[in-house]
Amino acid sequence: MGKSNLLTWFREFQEKRRRPMQEAKMNMTPMIDVVFLLIIFFMVVSELVKLDIEPVTLPWASEAKEDSNPPEDRIIVNVKADPTGVDHGTIWVNHKLLSPAEFRTKLHEQKIRSGLDKEGLPKISVKIRGDKDVEWKYIQNVMVACTREQVWRVSFGAKPRETLNY
Amino acid sequence: MGKLARDAMKEESDFELPISMIDVVFLLLIFFIVTAKFKQIENRLDAHLPKDEGQNLIKAEIEKPDEVRVYLWVPENDPAGVSIGLNTRDEVNIRDINELADKLKSLKASIEQGGLKITVVLDARKNVKFDYVIGALDACYRAEIEDVKFQAPPIPGGGGSDWWYE
């Protein structure tokens, strides 16, 4: 390499060092698209308000069937347990506290609204989500109300389990 | 267009938000991630009640040869536990729910050999935990017994079971 080429090279090298480096720019538009998709996903899968389910600890049952196709006219009745005793054994339907008499009235109204089946019996069904620690007498309050209204389709909410250890 | 008008337009177009859109989008995403609650799988155990109105008067003693009664009560030394008696409430002859399922299976086989269809009546005292009643119902289903009835609480005017009170 000649002397002039070496000088030229050295001058270019010095210029590159002095020139500020170009900032690496990131195109944010696709990232915002991805983030919006994630937001929509979480909005769709999340259930912010559950009208008919209360937090109860359901009992275990190995023979319980999956409740994937619930009947159309169904009332979900929650019977809560409360160690403090305030809400123990109380009946909750659609986040409302009902006494056994009020529950029977509500059941009667729903029965009339839903109509009768071919046998002349109420079409509605009831799912009792009772806490596992609640006493049997509180569940029986609900069952007696159902029997009085001739609502015979009753099911109990349960958690699936392969084996039971009592 | 005059210089003043151009300057005014430039000022309007130079309006900047105090917070960037990507920050807002990320905040929304975090909010929905934190508040998202995925649907929990719940199962159900079907328990059909009598189709006629009111509680049927089922006597405490066994009437029919195809009827099996499962008694559940709270033991004195274990208020959170359960004692199980098969066709008797004077002694504990079933150790746990698993043994109940096995015994019911063998009873079903022997009753059906006689050409009859087994019926199980679950008779639980009022303070038995709901968990154990569901366990007994589950044991019936594990023994492939579908005809399961529940002993009603005492009816005003007579009927039902006074044993429930104790």
PDB file of all heavy atoms in Angstrom, chain B residues 65-70 86-87 99-120 139-148:
ATOM      1  N   PRO B  65     -87.593 -55.613  50.675  1.00  0.00           N
ATOM      2  CA  PRO B  65     -86.335 -56.383  50.634  1.00  0.00           C
ATOM      3  C   PRO B  65     -85.306 -55.785  49.694  1.00  0.00           C
ATOM      4  O   PRO B  65     -84.121 -56.084  49.805  1.00  0.00           O
ATOM      5  CB  PRO B  65     -86.790 -57.766  50.135  1.00  0.00           C
ATOM      6  CG  PRO B  65     -88.093 -57.538  49.452  1.00  0.00           C
ATOM      7  CD  PRO B  65     -88.727 -56.367  50.113  1.00  0.00           C
ATOM      8  N   ASP B  66     -85.753 -54.922  48.759  1.00  0.00           N
ATOM      9  CA  ASP B  66     -84.798 -54.355  47.806  1.00  0.00           C
ATOM     10  C   ASP B  66     -84.283 -52.999  48.274  1.00  0.00           C
ATOM     11  O   ASP B  66     -83.558 -52.330  47.560  1.00  0.00           O
ATOM     12  CB  ASP B  66     -85.454 -54.217  46.435  1.00  0.00           C
ATOM     13  CG  ASP B  66     -86.724 -53.363  46.508  1.00  0.00           C
ATOM     14  OD1 ASP B  66     -87.203 -53.106  47.637  1.00  0.00           O
ATOM     15  OD2 ASP B  66     -87.230 -52.969  45.455  1.00  0.00           O
ATOM     16  N   GLU B  67     -84.700 -52.582  49.462  1.00  0.00           N
ATOM     17  CA  GLU B  67     -84.310 -51.259  49.938  1.00  0.00           C
ATOM     18  C   GLU B  67     -83.160 -51.360  50.934  1.00  0.00           C
ATOM     19  O   GLU B  67     -83.184 -52.176  51.860  1.00  0.00           O
ATOM     20  CB  GLU B  67     -85.508 -50.580  50.603  1.00  0.00           C
ATOM     21  CG  GLU B  67     -85.246 -49.115  50.925  1.00  0.00           C
ATOM     22  CD  GLU B  67     -86.474 -48.444  51.491  1.00  0.00           C
ATOM     23  OE1 GLU B  67     -87.313 -48.009  50.693  1.00  0.00           O
ATOM     24  OE2 GLU B  67     -86.579 -48.367  52.720  1.00  0.00           O
ATOM     25  N   VAL B  68     -82.182 -50.514  50.712  1.00  0.00           N
ATOM     26  CA  VAL B  68     -81.007 -50.482  51.599  1.00  0.00           C
ATOM     27  C   VAL B  68     -80.919 -49.074  52.182  1.00  0.00           C
ATOM     28  O   VAL B  68     -81.049 -48.089  51.449  1.00  0.00           O
ATOM     29  CB  VAL B  68     -79.720 -50.797  50.780  1.00  0.00           C
ATOM     30  CG1 VAL B  68     -78.483 -50.590  51.624  1.00  0.00           C
ATOM     31  CG2 VAL B  68     -79.784 -52.218  50.233  1.00  0.00           C
ATOM     32  N   ARG B  69     -80.731 -49.002  53.481  1.00  0.00           N
ATOM     33  CA  ARG B  69     -80.627 -47.679  54.115  1.00  0.00           C
ATOM     34  C   ARG B  69     -79.193 -47.439  54.565  1.00  0.00           C
ATOM     35  O   ARG B  69     -78.565 -48.306  55.183  1.00  0.00           O
ATOM     36  CB  ARG B  69     -81.564 -47.590  55.313  1.00  0.00           C
ATOM     37  CG  ARG B  69     -83.030 -47.661  54.917  1.00  0.00           C
ATOM     38  CD  ARG B  69     -83.913 -47.332  56.089  1.00  0.00           C
ATOM     39  NE  ARG B  69     -83.997 -45.911  56.329  1.00  0.00           N
ATOM     40  CZ  ARG B  69     -84.945 -45.116  55.845  1.00  0.00           C
ATOM     41  NH1 ARG B  69     -85.878 -45.602  55.068  1.00  0.00           N
ATOM     42  NH2 ARG B  69     -84.953 -43.834  56.128  1.00  0.00           N
ATOM     43  N   VAL B  70     -78.720 -46.255  54.233  1.00  0.00           N
ATOM     44  CA  VAL B  70     -77.385 -45.853  54.670  1.00  0.00           C
ATOM     45  C   VAL B  70     -77.574 -44.732  55.683  1.00  0.00           C
ATOM     46  O   VAL B  70     -78.117 -43.670  55.356  1.00  0.00           O
ATOM     47  CB  VAL B  70     -76.531 -45.344  53.481  1.00  0.00           C
ATOM     48  CG1 VAL B  70     -75.178 -44.860  53.967  1.00  0.00           C
ATOM     49  CG2 VAL B  70     -76.367 -46.455  52.437  1.00  0.00           C
ATOM     50  N   LEU B  86     -74.778 -49.342  57.741  1.00  0.00           N
ATOM     51  CA  LEU B  86     -75.523 -49.880  56.599  1.00  0.00           C
ATOM     52  C   LEU B  86     -76.658 -50.723  57.139  1.00  0.00           C
ATOM     53  O   LEU B  86     -76.425 -51.733  57.809  1.00  0.00           O
ATOM     54  CB  LEU B  86     -74.579 -50.717  55.732  1.00  0.00           C
ATOM     55  CG  LEU B  86     -75.102 -51.184  54.368  1.00  0.00           C
ATOM     56  CD1 LEU B  86     -75.493 -50.003  53.500  1.00  0.00           C
ATOM     57  CD2 LEU B  86     -74.051 -52.005  53.639  1.00  0.00           C
ATOM     58  N   ASN B  87     -77.872 -50.253  56.916  1.00  0.00           N
ATOM     59  CA  ASN B  87     -79.088 -50.903  57.411  1.00  0.00           C
ATOM     60  C   ASN B  87     -79.197 -50.924  58.930  1.00  0.00           C
ATOM     61  O   ASN B  87     -80.021 -51.660  59.474  1.00  0.00           O
ATOM     62  CB  ASN B  87     -79.222 -52.326  56.860  1.00  0.00           C
ATOM     63  CG  ASN B  87     -79.588 -52.321  55.373  1.00  0.00           C
ATOM     64  OD1 ASN B  87     -80.199 -51.376  54.881  1.00  0.00           O
ATOM     65  ND2 ASN B  87     -79.210 -53.369  54.661  1.00  0.00           N
ATOM     66  N   GLU B  99     -65.352 -48.243  51.633  1.00  0.00           N
ATOM     67  CA  GLU B  99     -65.913 -49.543  52.009  1.00  0.00           C
ATOM     68  C   GLU B  99     -67.423 -49.558  51.718  1.00  0.00           C
ATOM     69  O   GLU B  99     -67.967 -50.594  51.326  1.00  0.00           O
ATOM     70  CB  GLU B  99     -65.670 -49.813  53.493  1.00  0.00           C
ATOM     71  CG  GLU B  99     -66.035 -51.247  53.880  1.00  0.00           C
ATOM     72  CD  GLU B  99     -65.936 -51.493  55.378  1.00  0.00           C
ATOM     73  OE1 GLU B  99     -65.258 -50.711  56.068  1.00  0.00           O
ATOM     74  OE2 GLU B  99     -66.556 -52.460  55.840  1.00  0.00           O
ATOM     75  N   LEU B 100     -68.062 -48.421  51.902  1.00  0.00           N
ATOM     76  CA  LEU B 100     -69.500 -48.323  51.600  1.00  0.00           C
ATOM     77  C   LEU B 100     -69.767 -48.653  50.139  1.00  0.00           C
ATOM     78  O   LEU B 100     -70.705 -49.404  49.813  1.00  0.00           O
ATOM     79  CB  LEU B 100     -70.011 -46.912  51.939  1.00  0.00           C
ATOM     80  CG  LEU B 100     -71.472 -46.629  51.605  1.00  0.00           C
ATOM     81  CD1 LEU B 100     -72.403 -47.470  52.453  1.00  0.00           C
ATOM     82  CD2 LEU B 100     -71.800 -45.146  51.809  1.00  0.00           C
ATOM     83  N   ALA B 101     -68.940 -48.114  49.253  1.00  0.00           N
ATOM     84  CA  ALA B 101     -69.125 -48.391  47.814  1.00  0.00           C
ATOM     85  C   ALA B 101     -68.994 -49.888  47.534  1.00  0.00           C
ATOM     86  O   ALA B 101     -69.798 -50.466  46.782  1.00  0.00           O
ATOM     87  CB  ALA B 101     -68.107 -47.602  46.994  1.00  0.00           C
ATOM     88  N   ASP B 102     -68.008 -50.532  48.172  1.00  0.00           N
ATOM     89  CA  ASP B 102     -67.800 -51.979  47.943  1.00  0.00           C
ATOM     90  C   ASP B 102     -68.978 -52.793  48.470  1.00  0.00           C
ATOM     91  O   ASP B 102     -69.454 -53.726  47.811  1.00  0.00           O
ATOM     92  CB  ASP B 102     -66.506 -52.440  48.632  1.00  0.00           C
ATOM     93  CG  ASP B 102     -65.277 -51.785  48.009  1.00  0.00           C
ATOM     94  OD1 ASP B 102     -65.346 -51.421  46.819  1.00  0.00           O
ATOM     95  OD2 ASP B 102     -64.272 -51.620  48.724  1.00  0.00           O
ATOM     96  N   LYS B 103     -69.437 -52.427  49.664  1.00  0.00           N
ATOM     97  CA  LYS B 103     -70.551 -53.178  50.272  1.00  0.00           C
ATOM     98  C   LYS B 103     -71.831 -53.000  49.450  1.00  0.00           C
ATOM     99  O   LYS B 103     -72.599 -53.935  49.247  1.00  0.00           O
ATOM    100  CB  LYS B 103     -70.809 -52.674  51.703  1.00  0.00           C
ATOM    101  CG  LYS B 103     -69.816 -53.177  52.730  1.00  0.00           C
ATOM    102  CD  LYS B 103     -70.260 -54.519  53.303  1.00  0.00           C
ATOM    103  CE  LYS B 103     -69.144 -55.278  53.955  1.00  0.00           C
ATOM    104  NZ  LYS B 103     -68.682 -54.763  55.232  1.00  0.00           N
ATOM    105  N   LEU B 104     -72.047 -51.786  48.966  1.00  0.00           N
ATOM    106  CA  LEU B 104     -73.247 -51.533  48.156  1.00  0.00           C
ATOM    107  C   LEU B 104     -73.200 -52.332  46.859  1.00  0.00           C
ATOM    108  O   LEU B 104     -74.221 -52.834  46.384  1.00  0.00           O
ATOM    109  CB  LEU B 104     -73.382 -50.039  47.842  1.00  0.00           C
ATOM    110  CG  LEU B 104     -73.878 -49.163  48.985  1.00  0.00           C
ATOM    111  CD1 LEU B 104     -73.800 -47.688  48.610  1.00  0.00           C
ATOM    112  CD2 LEU B 104     -75.305 -49.515  49.386  1.00  0.00           C
ATOM    113  N   LYS B 105     -72.015 -52.458  46.313  1.00  0.00           N
ATOM    114  CA  LYS B 105     -71.857 -53.227  45.069  1.00  0.00           C
ATOM    115  C   LYS B 105     -72.264 -54.675  45.296  1.00  0.00           C
ATOM    116  O   LYS B 105     -72.998 -55.273  44.489  1.00  0.00           O
ATOM    117  CB  LYS B 105     -70.397 -53.171  44.615  1.00  0.00           C
ATOM    118  CG  LYS B 105     -70.211 -52.994  43.121  1.00  0.00           C
ATOM    119  CD  LYS B 105     -68.759 -52.914  42.739  1.00  0.00           C
ATOM    120  CE  LYS B 105     -68.456 -51.590  42.088  1.00  0.00           C
ATOM    121  NZ  LYS B 105     -67.097 -51.405  41.645  1.00  0.00           N
ATOM    122  N   SER B 106     -71.775 -55.245  46.397  1.00  0.00           N
ATOM    123  CA  SER B 106     -72.086 -56.662  46.645  1.00  0.00           C
ATOM    124  C   SER B 106     -73.566 -56.825  47.007  1.00  0.00           C
ATOM    125  O   SER B 106     -74.208 -57.803  46.597  1.00  0.00           O
ATOM    126  CB  SER B 106     -71.171 -57.256  47.721  1.00  0.00           C
ATOM    127  OG  SER B 106     -71.215 -56.482  48.874  1.00  0.00           O
ATOM    128  N   LEU B 107     -74.126 -55.848  47.725  1.00  0.00           N
ATOM    129  CA  LEU B 107     -75.561 -55.904  48.044  1.00  0.00           C
ATOM    130  C   LEU B 107     -76.401 -55.829  46.775  1.00  0.00           C
ATOM    131  O   LEU B 107     -77.412 -56.527  46.631  1.00  0.00           O
ATOM    132  CB  LEU B 107     -75.949 -54.740  48.962  1.00  0.00           C
ATOM    133  CG  LEU B 107     -75.838 -55.007  50.459  1.00  0.00           C
ATOM    134  CD1 LEU B 107     -76.038 -53.730  51.245  1.00  0.00           C
ATOM    135  CD2 LEU B 107     -76.848 -56.059  50.903  1.00  0.00           C
ATOM    136  N   LYS B 108     -75.985 -54.972  45.885  1.00  0.00           N
ATOM    137  CA  LYS B 108     -76.708 -54.811  44.616  1.00  0.00           C
ATOM    138  C   LYS B 108     -76.713 -56.133  43.839  1.00  0.00           C
ATOM    139  O   LYS B 108     -77.749 -56.560  43.314  1.00  0.00           O
ATOM    140  CB  LYS B 108     -76.044 -53.723  43.787  1.00  0.00           C
ATOM    141  CG  LYS B 108     -76.763 -53.427  42.469  1.00  0.00           C
ATOM    142  CD  LYS B 108     -75.935 -52.568  41.546  1.00  0.00           C
ATOM    143  CE  LYS B 108     -76.655 -52.440  40.207  1.00  0.00           C
ATOM    144  NZ  LYS B 108     -75.785 -52.096  39.101  1.00  0.00           N
ATOM    145  N   ALA B 109     -75.547 -56.773  43.818  1.00  0.00           N
ATOM    146  CA  ALA B 109     -75.459 -58.042  43.084  1.00  0.00           C
ATOM    147  C   ALA B 109     -76.395 -59.081  43.697  1.00  0.00           C
ATOM    148  O   ALA B 109     -77.111 -59.791  42.973  1.00  0.00           O
ATOM    149  CB  ALA B 109     -74.015 -58.539  43.099  1.00  0.00           C
ATOM    150  N   SER B 110     -76.428 -59.146  45.031  1.00  0.00           N
ATOM    151  CA  SER B 110     -77.268 -60.181  45.669  1.00  0.00           C
ATOM    152  C   SER B 110     -78.749 -59.850  45.517  1.00  0.00           C
ATOM    153  O   SER B 110     -79.575 -60.734  45.313  1.00  0.00           O
ATOM    154  CB  SER B 110     -76.887 -60.357  47.138  1.00  0.00           C
ATOM    155  OG  SER B 110     -77.096 -59.159  47.843  1.00  0.00           O
ATOM    156  N   ILE B 111     -79.120 -58.564  45.564  1.00  0.00           N
ATOM    157  CA  ILE B 111     -80.536 -58.199  45.414  1.00  0.00           C
ATOM    158  C   ILE B 111     -80.991 -58.455  43.983  1.00  0.00           C
ATOM    159  O   ILE B 111     -82.094 -58.958  43.734  1.00  0.00           O
ATOM    160  CB  ILE B 111     -80.766 -56.722  45.818  1.00  0.00           C
ATOM    161  CG1 ILE B 111     -80.703 -56.587  47.339  1.00  0.00           C
ATOM    162  CG2 ILE B 111     -82.100 -56.201  45.292  1.00  0.00           C
ATOM    163  CD1 ILE B 111     -80.709 -55.177  47.861  1.00  0.00           C
ATOM    164  N   GLU B 112     -80.139 -58.122  43.046  1.00  0.00           N
ATOM    165  CA  GLU B 112     -80.527 -58.302  41.642  1.00  0.00           C
ATOM    166  C   GLU B 112     -80.576 -59.765  41.244  1.00  0.00           C
ATOM    167  O   GLU B 112     -81.278 -60.134  40.293  1.00  0.00           O
ATOM    168  CB  GLU B 112     -79.591 -57.512  40.725  1.00  0.00           C
ATOM    169  CG  GLU B 112     -79.913 -56.024  40.768  1.00  0.00           C
ATOM    170  CD  GLU B 112     -79.001 -55.165  39.907  1.00  0.00           C
ATOM    171  OE1 GLU B 112     -78.012 -55.671  39.348  1.00  0.00           O
ATOM    172  OE2 GLU B 112     -79.290 -53.951  39.802  1.00  0.00           O
ATOM    173  N   GLN B 113     -79.857 -60.592  41.983  1.00  0.00           N
ATOM    174  CA  GLN B 113     -79.948 -62.037  41.719  1.00  0.00           C
ATOM    175  C   GLN B 113     -81.345 -62.546  42.008  1.00  0.00           C
ATOM    176  O   GLN B 113     -81.799 -63.524  41.411  1.00  0.00           O
ATOM    177  CB  GLN B 113     -78.953 -62.792  42.618  1.00  0.00           C
ATOM    178  CG  GLN B 113     -77.656 -63.080  41.925  1.00  0.00           C
ATOM    179  CD  GLN B 113     -76.689 -63.854  42.803  1.00  0.00           C
ATOM    180  OE1 GLN B 113     -76.946 -64.114  43.983  1.00  0.00           O
ATOM    181  NE2 GLN B 113     -75.573 -64.219  42.226  1.00  0.00           N
ATOM    182  N   GLY B 114     -82.013 -61.876  42.963  1.00  0.00           N
ATOM    183  CA  GLY B 114     -83.387 -62.243  43.299  1.00  0.00           C
ATOM    184  C   GLY B 114     -84.411 -61.612  42.368  1.00  0.00           C
ATOM    185  O   GLY B 114     -85.612 -61.663  42.629  1.00  0.00           O
ATOM    186  N   GLY B 115     -83.929 -60.943  41.304  1.00  0.00           N
ATOM    187  CA  GLY B 115     -84.840 -60.349  40.325  1.00  0.00           C
ATOM    188  C   GLY B 115     -85.414 -59.000  40.738  1.00  0.00           C
ATOM    189  O   GLY B 115     -86.364 -58.511  40.139  1.00  0.00           O
ATOM    190  N   LEU B 116     -84.852 -58.396  41.793  1.00  0.00           N
ATOM    191  CA  LEU B 116     -85.364 -57.095  42.253  1.00  0.00           C
ATOM    192  C   LEU B 116     -84.382 -55.979  41.867  1.00  0.00           C
ATOM    193  O   LEU B 116     -83.242 -56.245  41.500  1.00  0.00           O
ATOM    194  CB  LEU B 116     -85.542 -57.104  43.777  1.00  0.00           C
ATOM    195  CG  LEU B 116     -86.556 -58.099  44.323  1.00  0.00           C
ATOM    196  CD1 LEU B 116     -86.396 -58.218  45.838  1.00  0.00           C
ATOM    197  CD2 LEU B 116     -87.976 -57.701  43.957  1.00  0.00           C
ATOM    198  N   LYS B 117     -84.855 -54.743  41.993  1.00  0.00           N
ATOM    199  CA  LYS B 117     -83.984 -53.606  41.692  1.00  0.00           C
ATOM    200  C   LYS B 117     -83.674 -52.871  42.986  1.00  0.00           C
ATOM    201  O   LYS B 117     -84.578 -52.495  43.727  1.00  0.00           O
ATOM    202  CB  LYS B 117     -84.682 -52.664  40.713  1.00  0.00           C
ATOM    203  CG  LYS B 117     -83.738 -51.659  40.088  1.00  0.00           C
ATOM    204  CD  LYS B 117     -84.454 -50.688  39.184  1.00  0.00           C
ATOM    205  CE  LYS B 117     -83.502 -49.525  38.849  1.00  0.00           C
ATOM    206  NZ  LYS B 117     -84.171 -48.371  38.307  1.00  0.00           N
ATOM    207  N   ILE B 118     -82.420 -52.647  43.246  1.00  0.00           N
ATOM    208  CA  ILE B 118     -82.008 -52.057  44.523  1.00  0.00           C
ATOM    209  C   ILE B 118     -82.361 -50.577  44.594  1.00  0.00           C
ATOM    210  O   ILE B 118     -82.259 -49.840  43.607  1.00  0.00           O
ATOM    211  CB  ILE B 118     -80.487 -52.272  44.762  1.00  0.00           C
ATOM    212  CG1 ILE B 118     -80.084 -51.788  46.146  1.00  0.00           C
ATOM    213  CG2 ILE B 118     -79.670 -51.561  43.693  1.00  0.00           C
ATOM    214  CD1 ILE B 118     -78.666 -52.144  46.553  1.00  0.00           C
ATOM    215  N   THR B 119     -82.792 -50.178  45.784  1.00  0.00           N
ATOM    216  CA  THR B 119     -83.037 -48.757  46.078  1.00  0.00           C
ATOM    217  C   THR B 119     -82.240 -48.410  47.325  1.00  0.00           C
ATOM    218  O   THR B 119     -82.263 -49.149  48.309  1.00  0.00           O
ATOM    219  CB  THR B 119     -84.531 -48.514  46.348  1.00  0.00           C
ATOM    220  OG1 THR B 119     -85.279 -48.872  45.199  1.00  0.00           O
ATOM    221  CG2 THR B 119     -84.800 -47.048  46.649  1.00  0.00           C
ATOM    222  N   VAL B 120     -81.563 -47.305  47.292  1.00  0.00           N
ATOM    223  CA  VAL B 120     -80.792 -46.873  48.464  1.00  0.00           C
ATOM    224  C   VAL B 120     -81.425 -45.602  49.027  1.00  0.00           C
ATOM    225  O   VAL B 120     -81.744 -44.675  48.272  1.00  0.00           O
ATOM    226  CB  VAL B 120     -79.314 -46.608  48.087  1.00  0.00           C
ATOM    227  CG1 VAL B 120     -78.567 -46.004  49.264  1.00  0.00           C
ATOM    228  CG2 VAL B 120     -78.651 -47.899  47.635  1.00  0.00           C
ATOM    229  N   ALA B 139     -70.678 -42.888  46.442  1.00  0.00           N
ATOM    230  CA  ALA B 139     -70.460 -44.328  46.630  1.00  0.00           C
ATOM    231  C   ALA B 139     -71.570 -45.128  45.942  1.00  0.00           C
ATOM    232  O   ALA B 139     -71.321 -46.178  45.348  1.00  0.00           O
ATOM    233  CB  ALA B 139     -70.399 -44.671  48.122  1.00  0.00           C
ATOM    234  N   CYS B 140     -72.798 -44.606  45.998  1.00  0.00           N
ATOM    235  CA  CYS B 140     -73.918 -45.285  45.315  1.00  0.00           C
ATOM    236  C   CYS B 140     -73.680 -45.320  43.815  1.00  0.00           C
ATOM    237  O   CYS B 140     -73.881 -46.340  43.146  1.00  0.00           O
ATOM    238  CB  CYS B 140     -75.236 -44.567  45.597  1.00  0.00           C
ATOM    239  SG  CYS B 140     -75.724 -44.614  47.329  1.00  0.00           S
ATOM    240  N   TYR B 141     -73.228 -44.220  43.273  1.00  0.00           N
ATOM    241  CA  TYR B 141     -72.992 -44.182  41.822  1.00  0.00           C
ATOM    242  C   TYR B 141     -71.807 -45.054  41.433  1.00  0.00           C
ATOM    243  O   TYR B 141     -71.781 -45.646  40.353  1.00  0.00           O
ATOM    244  CB  TYR B 141     -72.795 -42.735  41.348  1.00  0.00           C
ATOM    245  CG  TYR B 141     -74.059 -41.912  41.367  1.00  0.00           C
ATOM    246  CD1 TYR B 141     -74.048 -40.581  41.753  1.00  0.00           C
ATOM    247  CD2 TYR B 141     -75.284 -42.462  41.008  1.00  0.00           C
ATOM    248  CE1 TYR B 141     -75.203 -39.821  41.771  1.00  0.00           C
ATOM    249  CE2 TYR B 141     -76.450 -41.715  41.032  1.00  0.00           C
ATOM    250  CZ  TYR B 141     -76.401 -40.397  41.417  1.00  0.00           C
ATOM    251  OH  TYR B 141     -77.558 -39.653  41.439  1.00  0.00           O
ATOM    252  N   ARG B 142     -70.836 -45.127  42.320  1.00  0.00           N
ATOM    253  CA  ARG B 142     -69.690 -46.006  42.029  1.00  0.00           C
ATOM    254  C   ARG B 142     -70.115 -47.472  42.028  1.00  0.00           C
ATOM    255  O   ARG B 142     -69.554 -48.299  41.314  1.00  0.00           O
ATOM    256  CB  ARG B 142     -68.581 -45.786  43.066  1.00  0.00           C
ATOM    257  CG  ARG B 142     -67.701 -44.589  42.723  1.00  0.00           C
ATOM    258  CD  ARG B 142     -66.968 -44.056  43.922  1.00  0.00           C
ATOM    259  NE  ARG B 142     -65.970 -44.967  44.429  1.00  0.00           N
ATOM    260  CZ  ARG B 142     -65.373 -44.845  45.604  1.00  0.00           C
ATOM    261  NH1 ARG B 142     -65.696 -43.880  46.406  1.00  0.00           N
ATOM    262  NH2 ARG B 142     -64.450 -45.693  45.977  1.00  0.00           N
ATOM    263  N   ALA B 143     -71.132 -47.763  42.852  1.00  0.00           N
ATOM    264  CA  ALA B 143     -71.673 -49.127  42.865  1.00  0.00           C
ATOM    265  C   ALA B 143     -72.708 -49.315  41.759  1.00  0.00           C
ATOM    266  O   ALA B 143     -73.403 -50.331  41.731  1.00  0.00           O
ATOM    267  CB  ALA B 143     -72.305 -49.408  44.229  1.00  0.00           C
ATOM    268  N   GLU B 144     -72.843 -48.312  40.889  1.00  0.00           N
ATOM    269  CA  GLU B 144     -73.770 -48.352  39.753  1.00  0.00           C
ATOM    270  C   GLU B 144     -75.216 -48.481  40.202  1.00  0.00           C
ATOM    271  O   GLU B 144     -76.008 -49.189  39.594  1.00  0.00           O
ATOM    272  CB  GLU B 144     -73.382 -49.480  38.780  1.00  0.00           C
ATOM    273  CG  GLU B 144     -72.046 -49.221  38.099  1.00  0.00           C
ATOM    274  CD  GLU B 144     -71.544 -50.388  37.278  1.00  0.00           C
ATOM    275  OE1 GLU B 144     -72.308 -51.348  37.040  1.00  0.00           O
ATOM    276  OE2 GLU B 144     -70.380 -50.356  36.886  1.00  0.00           O
ATOM    277  N   ILE B 145     -75.520 -47.802  41.286  1.00  0.00           N
ATOM    278  CA  ILE B 145     -76.910 -47.746  41.769  1.00  0.00           C
ATOM    279  C   ILE B 145     -77.451 -46.377  41.409  1.00  0.00           C
ATOM    280  O   ILE B 145     -76.911 -45.358  41.823  1.00  0.00           O
ATOM    281  CB  ILE B 145     -76.965 -47.954  43.298  1.00  0.00           C
ATOM    282  CG1 ILE B 145     -76.426 -49.334  43.651  1.00  0.00           C
ATOM    283  CG2 ILE B 145     -78.388 -47.768  43.810  1.00  0.00           C
ATOM    284  CD1 ILE B 145     -76.165 -49.538  45.126  1.00  0.00           C
ATOM    285  N   GLU B 146     -78.546 -46.372  40.634  1.00  0.00           N
ATOM    286  CA  GLU B 146     -79.084 -45.077  40.196  1.00  0.00           C
ATOM    287  C   GLU B 146     -80.275 -44.622  41.028  1.00  0.00           C
ATOM    288  O   GLU B 146     -80.562 -43.438  41.108  1.00  0.00           O
ATOM    289  CB  GLU B 146     -79.492 -45.178  38.726  1.00  0.00           C
ATOM    290  CG  GLU B 146     -78.274 -45.262  37.808  1.00  0.00           C
ATOM    291  CD  GLU B 146     -78.651 -45.497  36.367  1.00  0.00           C
ATOM    292  OE1 GLU B 146     -79.846 -45.580  36.070  1.00  0.00           O
ATOM    293  OE2 GLU B 146     -77.727 -45.603  35.541  1.00  0.00           O
ATOM    294  N   ASP B 147     -80.985 -45.579  41.615  1.00  0.00           N
ATOM    295  CA  ASP B 147     -82.185 -45.237  42.374  1.00  0.00           C
ATOM    296  C   ASP B 147     -81.793 -44.900  43.813  1.00  0.00           C
ATOM    297  O   ASP B 147     -81.690 -45.775  44.675  1.00  0.00           O
ATOM    298  CB  ASP B 147     -83.176 -46.400  42.332  1.00  0.00           C
ATOM    299  CG  ASP B 147     -84.545 -45.990  42.854  1.00  0.00           C
ATOM    300  OD1 ASP B 147     -84.772 -44.777  43.023  1.00  0.00           O
ATOM    301  OD2 ASP B 147     -85.382 -46.883  43.099  1.00  0.00           O
ATOM    302  N   VAL B 148     -81.522 -43.620  44.030  1.00  0.00           N
ATOM    303  CA  VAL B 148     -81.087 -43.169  45.355  1.00  0.00           C
ATOM    304  C   VAL B 148     -82.083 -42.129  45.856  1.00  0.00           C
ATOM    305  O   VAL B 148     -82.427 -41.185  45.132  1.00  0.00           O
ATOM    306  CB  VAL B 148     -79.669 -42.536  45.293  1.00  0.00           C
ATOM    307  CG1 VAL B 148     -79.222 -42.111  46.679  1.00  0.00           C
ATOM    308  CG2 VAL B 148     -78.675 -43.497  44.678  1.00  0.00           C
TER     309      VAL B 148
END
